[in-house]
Amino acid sequence: MTKHNKSQIQELLDSNPAFIDQAIRLLGQNQTADELRSKSTHHHNDIGFSAAYATTGTRLFEFVTGISTKTGKPAWQPKTLSHPAANRVFNRYIHNHGLVNAVELGKKIAAIHWRQLGGLLSWTPVTTGATQPKARKQQPPQSVVISGAEVQTMKGKAVRVLWDSKRVWLPKSQIRVNSETGDITMPRWLARNKGMLAKQGDPTVGGETSTDGFDWDGWSGGR
């Protein structure tokens, strides 16, 4: 007779996705080795995944443990069901159940098998450095120098230049104009968005977009 009830288990599953991952691990560990290998349930021992969820449950188990059930050995990096890849891997299952994501799929299967999950009551999610998001270092934007742009006018916080017969407005805060050469230094993303930088793979001449469609820079570089 179980010493816990369904509402206790459901409360844990609702509180933290880590409990869902652990529930899938516990249920998979209750499967026999041959059931895991075949992704089926054929021993009537009332533990592990029920026959109605054998394949789905075993695949979830492989995902959260990184263990290949064919060999019983680690084969890839274990992931949580809240990982973006889980929704792609289990997309068909999620859709067939009318659910939103892999976390909901795992929660549904765990709740169905709640009688086996008393171990969750004494289990505490562990946060490790490996699971904590790494702080991203702020990288300064890459800059490019644009030559040949004709500065026409300045208005407010913007500068209008003539580029390839087109009028282009540039924010003063993002550019530096060399008064001697007329060259304009700006972030690469700005030059790209304003059409002042050739796209990767486009034919170029002298680093600028080739107007005749021939990749002169690529041709001369290969000679």
Side-chain angles (χ1 to χ4, degrees):
M1 182 176 179
T2 59
K3 296 181 180 180
H4 61 277
N5 55 53
K6 185 175 182 179
S7 62
Q8 289 176 301
I9 300 303
Q10 189 67 59
E11 183 176 353
L12 291 176
L13 297 176
D14 291 338
S15 69
N16 189 332
F19 282 106
I20 300 172
D21 296 335
Q22 179 63 6
I24 297 300
R25 293 187 197 99
L26 292 175
L27 293 170
Q29 290 165 5
N30 283 344
Q31 291 284 87
T32 61
D34 60 319
E35 286 177 327
L36 286 175
R37 282 195 300 272
S38 63
K39 292 183 173 62
S40 64
T41 297
H42 44 268
H43 295 292
H44 302 291
N45 51 14
D46 294 325
I47 59 173
F49 300 111
S50 64
Y53 295 95
T55 299
T56 304
T58 302
R59 290 202 64 202
L60 292 174
F61 174 76
E62 288 182 317
F63 190 85
V64 300
T65 62
I67 295 174
S68 169
T69 55
K70 289 184 178 181
T71 63
K73 299 178 180 179
W76 47 80
Q77 186 68 29
K79 294 181 177 65
T80 174
L81 292 179
S82 57
H83 192 283
N87 293 335
R88 297 193 298 270
V89 173
F90 301 106
N91 178 63
R92 180 167 57 88
Y93 296 162
I94 295 167
H95 175 75
N96 290 346
H97 280 272
L99 300 174
V100 175
N101 52 44
V103 171
E104 287 194 0
L105 177 64
K107 184 190 294 186
K108 178 179 179 178
I109 293 177
I112 290 172
H113 299 82
W114 66 270
R115 290 181 176 81
Q116 302 177 51
L117 300 177
L120 291 182
L121 297 174
S122 58
W123 183 78
T124 302
V126 177
T127 302
T128 65
T131 58
Q132 293 176 339
K134 296 181 179 179
R136 294 185 178 180
K137 295 182 179 179
Q138 291 290 339
Q139 297 290 342
Q142 289 185 320
S143 296
V144 294
V145 177
I146 301 298
S147 301
E150 180 183 336
V151 177
Q152 292 189 319
T153 186
M154 296 186 183
K155 185 177 181 180
K157 298 181 179 180
V159 176
R160 191 181 76 190
V161 302
L162 190 64
W163 176 261
D164 196 15
S165 302
K166 294 180 293 185
R167 291 176 175 176
V168 180
W169 285 96
L170 301 170
K172 290 182 181 178
S173 61
Q174 297 287 348
I175 66 172
R176 295 195 311 273
V177 181
N178 187 314
S179 58
E180 295 183 1
T181 64
D183 292 347
I184 303 176
T185 302
M186 67 182 73
R188 179 177 291 275
W189 63 263
L190 179 61
R192 185 173 58 248
N193 290 350
K194 294 295 184 177
M196 303 176 75
L197 189 67
K199 297 178 182 178
Q200 186 175 7
D202 284 353
T204 61
V205 54
E208 308 298 342
T209 302
S210 174
T211 56
D212 63 5
F214 187 81
D215 188 5
W216 293 96
D217 291 342
W219 175 78
S220 60
R223 293 176 65 87

